[in-house]
Amino acid sequence: KGGGTTHFPQLSRHHHHQPSFFRRRHRLSLPVPPRRTPGPDGAVTEELIRRRAEHNNCEIFSLEEVSLHQQDIEKIEYIDKWCRDLKILYLQNNLISRIENVNRLKKLEYLNLALNNIEVIENLEGCESLQKLDLTVNFIGQLSCVESLKHNIHLKELFLVGNPCTDFEGYREYVITSLPQLKWLDGREIGRSERIRAGQSLEAVRRQIREQERKYLEKRERQKLEAQRSLEKQGQKRSTTDAKGNEPGFDGRCYTDIENTIPGADENKENEEKGGAEETGTGPRTDDPDKEFWETPCDFTPESRLEAHRYVEEKRRLRDRDREKDEKPRAAKTLVSKEGRILNVNEPKLDFSLTENDEDNLIVLELAVYRHMDTSLLDVDVQPTYVRVTVKGKVFQLVLPTEVLPDSSVAKRSQTTGRLQLTMPKAQGEVKPKAAAPRHRKASRGSESGAPMARPAKGVEKLEVDPSARSAVDVTNIVSQEKTTPLGPLKPLLTPATARICDCEGFEDDPDVPPLI
């Protein structure tokens, strides 16, 4: 099956044909999940969903797909309130016993609840867009509950492989006639002829299903009673073991009676018989509690699955506690020597480069941080004499050659390579001016005429002053004098046009006529 559906080839219907089997087969369906931090008592928490929403920038209100598999979740809650836009929801391999709190997910198209403890299909009427439902390897024994899916008109695929109801006679015919909108059932396409044949014998199939459901419910009641008795026996055994023990002596220590530890002849004979029975394999071994637990025959029920899960969790807790005791305390991180000198430390073992830019009076540090690591796992601390970068709890510390200005420092990270760049201005020193770009001289007339241009002399050019210019200033030449006109009667100024007229023949100058302007 595609679309992220889990495959379980080792679990099939033949498990339900056997009245009992070893818990060792349970261990195949309960793989040890990776180390994680689940919510309290298997609850769904906001932190858990945000951690699973990294592909959506940890935003849960607009989340369309989330995977919550192998999180030991026992109850579905808060998802329909926090993630209204969900289209794909993965909840396989948990401890969910009931389908609930998903009615508000109107956009949900695919729901995966494989490998849980669900016994009834319910509370899915509100999922209007549901197209695919996976309930592989659950404990659904009431086949009539599939009729609640009639309201999901867009449902095309349904998976019930590994449930007790699949062993019922007429199972496939009943589901096909109850859900006419289905196109695939248990990975097999439903043909038109198969649907017609199933509808012809609907009444007889319904009577058979009801009778088989009644027998299964009676069997489940007996299984629940046996599970309750088993829990009571285990509780009594545990309390007896805790109460039983050696009394402390006069010094507060517990001693063993050596005489009572020597078995008698009858006890030796009983021990030999038990040992022979264990060697021949007629009974489970009692010297190894772990092996005894996994090889004890029991029915595959929700109660036995919960018991196996709790046993595994208890073993893991004890193993972690023993590991903590055996672990030696780690030495404290030494970042500063006893004399107060800052040390160079590279715990994450990252490549780095430190360069000085004299033109801009800067110190640039480039650190090859992991490319796909989230920036929230970085912590940068710039001090006047050193810089410290914490990468996922590991310290990178480097002493700077000169003092810098922490408040003016800038930290950037590349979006392509993930490298971290720290730009730190120096506290002392001066910023040197940048060299001016050479200007192109305009071509002189001499160059245009073809005369060679004089090249500038090499070295420093000095300005020379003419010594004659250093003499006293001539005051008489400060104001220029105009030429004075001679005394006498004023004569009109003749314009060039008038002058040309005067030269004409027959012209008489009448003094009574004013001159033309």
Side-chain angles (χ1 to χ4, degrees):
K1 295 176 282 184
T5 307
T6 310
H7 294 271
F8 304 99
Q10 296 176 345
L11 295 172
S12 58
R13 301 182 191 175
H14 71 275
H15 292 295
H16 303 286
H17 291 293
Q18 299 178 1
S20 64
F21 57 94
F22 291 110
R23 275 197 185 93
R24 183 168 48 197
R25 300 184 185 177
H26 291 197
R27 190 154 43 178
L28 297 176
S29 62
L30 285 172
V32 178
R35 194 174 293 274
R36 60 189 182 279
T37 55
D41 300 329
V44 179
T45 61
E46 183 179 354
E47 179 186 1
L48 174 63
I49 297 180
R50 287 193 184 279
R51 193 167 62 250
R52 290 289 184 169
E54 293 181 352
H55 60 283
N56 198 40
N57 296 326
C58 297
E59 296 179 356
I60 62 176
F61 69 93
S62 61
L63 197 62
E64 294 186 356
E65 179 180 352
V66 65
S67 179
L68 300 175
H69 65 283
Q70 292 187 353
Q71 295 296 322
D72 299 340
I73 299 173
E74 297 183 7
K75 184 179 180 181
I76 305 175
E77 52 187 353
Y78 306 125
I79 297 178
D80 58 336
K81 298 178 181 179
W82 296 339
C83 312
R84 291 290 187 90
D85 296 335
L86 266 184
K87 293 183 179 180
I88 301 175
L89 178 58
Y90 295 102
L91 287 169
Q92 68 267 27
N93 206 352
N94 284 293
L95 303 171
I96 301 171
S97 59
R98 187 182 178 189
I99 303 175
E100 56 186 343
N101 298 324
V102 292
N103 265 331
R104 299 181 182 179
L105 301 177
K106 304 298 182 181
K107 300 180 182 180
L108 188 64
E109 299 177 359
Y110 177 33
L111 177 60
N112 192 330
L113 287 167
L115 263 176
N116 280 283
N117 296 342
I118 298 172
E119 298 189 56
V120 180
I121 303 175
E122 56 185 349
N123 300 325
L124 291 174
E125 295 83 0
C127 301
E128 300 172 355
S129 304
L130 188 63
Q131 299 179 11
K132 185 176 180 180
L133 177 62
D134 192 347
L135 293 168
T136 304
V137 190
N138 277 275
F139 300 93
I140 300 174
Q142 295 181 350
L143 189 56
S144 57
C145 65
V146 298
E147 295 185 2
S148 63
L149 298 174
K150 285 183 177 180
H151 304 282
N152 305 99
I153 59 176
H154 298 289
L155 185 63
K156 305 299 179 185
E157 296 183 62
L158 177 63
F159 295 92
L160 294 172
V161 177
N163 286 275
C165 63
T166 57
D167 294 334
F168 291 174
E169 186 177 354
Y171 146 76
R172 187 172 177 86
E173 291 79 5
Y174 182 82
V175 176
I176 291 174
T177 53
S178 300
L179 303 176
Q181 72 272 29
L182 271 187
K183 303 295 182 182
W184 295 78
L185 177 60
D186 295 337
R188 288 172 52 192
E189 187 176 5
I190 302 174
R192 182 180 178 182
S193 59
E194 184 180 9
R195 192 181 298 276
I196 294 173
R197 287 195 301 269
Q200 292 175 350
S201 57
L202 177 59
E203 294 300 327
V205 169
R206 279 182 177 174
R207 288 193 296 269
Q208 293 178 355
I209 295 298
R210 289 172 186 170
E211 182 64 22
Q212 294 175 85
E213 278 184 356
R214 185 183 60 79
K215 293 181 180 179
Y216 173 78
L217 293 176
E218 293 176 357
K219 179 182 176 181
R220 278 293 296 138
E221 291 296 330
R222 293 194 299 268
Q223 290 176 349
K224 290 179 182 179
L225 292 175
E226 291 177 2
Q228 187 176 358
R229 294 195 196 102
S230 177
L231 288 176
E232 292 176 357
K233 288 181 181 179
Q234 289 181 3
Q236 293 176 359
K237 184 178 180 181
R238 193 175 294 111
S239 60
T240 305
T241 305
D242 295 340
K244 187 179 179 180
N246 298 323
E247 295 295 334
F250 63 93
D251 56 354
R253 298 181 180 180
C254 297
Y255 295 91
T256 304
D257 190 358
I258 301 177
E259 296 180 359
N260 292 336
T261 58
I262 302 175
D266 297 339
E267 293 180 2
N268 280 331
K269 187 175 181 181
E270 292 178 0
N271 292 336
E272 290 176 359
E273 291 177 357
K274 291 180 180 179
E278 292 176 0
E279 291 176 359
T280 55
T282 55
R285 292 172 58 88
T286 57
D287 55 345
D288 188 359
D290 188 51
K291 190 173 182 180
E292 177 185 0
F293 177 83
W294 291 114
E295 291 190 353
T296 302
C298 69
D299 292 333
F300 184 50
T301 60
E303 292 79 17
S304 64
R305 191 167 182 263
L306 279 173
E307 182 184 2
H309 168 74
R310 289 168 183 158
Y311 183 82
V312 171
E313 289 298 321
E314 181 68 18
K315 284 288 183 181
R316 178 185 296 168
R317 187 180 62 82
L318 295 175
R319 186 170 59 252
D320 293 343
R321 187 180 63 183
D322 296 340
R323 187 184 296 112
E324 291 176 359
K325 291 181 180 179
D326 297 338
E327 284 182 355
K328 296 181 180 180
R330 295 182 178 179
K333 298 178 181 179
T334 305
L335 303 178
V336 183
S337 63
K338 296 180 180 180
E339 295 80 13
R341 184 169 54 88
I342 304 297
L343 302 178
N344 292 329
V345 181
N346 191 0
E347 287 185 347
K349 299 180 180 180
L350 300 175
D351 296 334
F352 67 95
S353 64
L354 185 68
T355 57
E356 294 188 45
N357 190 346
D358 295 333
E359 294 182 357
D360 298 334
N361 198 29
L362 299 174
I363 296 179
V364 180
L365 171 64
E366 288 192 5
L367 191 62
V369 182
Y370 311 120
R371 179 177 181 181
H372 300 288
M373 190 184 72
D374 191 29
T375 308
S376 61
L377 301 176
L378 289 175
D379 185 20
V380 181
D381 182 17
V382 179
Q383 298 295 331
T385 57
Y386 68 93
V387 59
R388 180 183 298 166
V389 181
T390 306
V391 183
K392 294 181 67 175
K394 297 182 179 181
V395 178
F396 172 87
Q397 183 171 278
L398 184 65
V399 180
L400 301 175
T402 58
E403 290 189 6
V404 298
L405 300 175
D407 296 338
S408 303
S409 302
V410 178
K412 297 180 180 180
R413 191 176 180 197
S414 174
Q415 295 182 353
T416 55
T417 62
R419 296 176 70 91
L420 179 67
Q421 184 184 59
L422 300 178
T423 304
M424 300 165 284
K426 295 181 181 179
Q428 299 176 354
E430 57 184 19
V431 179
K432 297 181 180 180
K434 296 182 179 181
R439 296 181 179 179
H440 298 286
R441 286 179 139 187
K442 294 183 179 180
S444 61
R445 294 180 180 178
S447 61
E448 292 177 359
S449 59
M453 294 179 61
R455 294 185 179 179
K458 296 182 178 179
V460 181
E461 295 183 2
K462 296 182 179 180
L463 181 63
E464 295 182 0
V465 181
D466 188 7
S468 61
R470 298 182 183 178
S471 59
V473 180
D474 187 5
V475 181
T476 60
N477 296 329
I478 291 178
V479 179
S480 61
Q481 296 180 359
E482 297 181 355
K483 294 181 180 181
T484 58
T485 59
L487 297 175
L490 296 175
K491 295 181 180 181
L493 296 175
L494 298 177
T495 58
T498 308
R500 288 195 299 269
I501 296 172
C502 292
D503 294 341
C504 299
E505 295 180 359
F507 174 75
E508 293 181 2
D509 187 11
D510 189 357
D512 296 334
V513 178
L516 296 176
I517 300 174

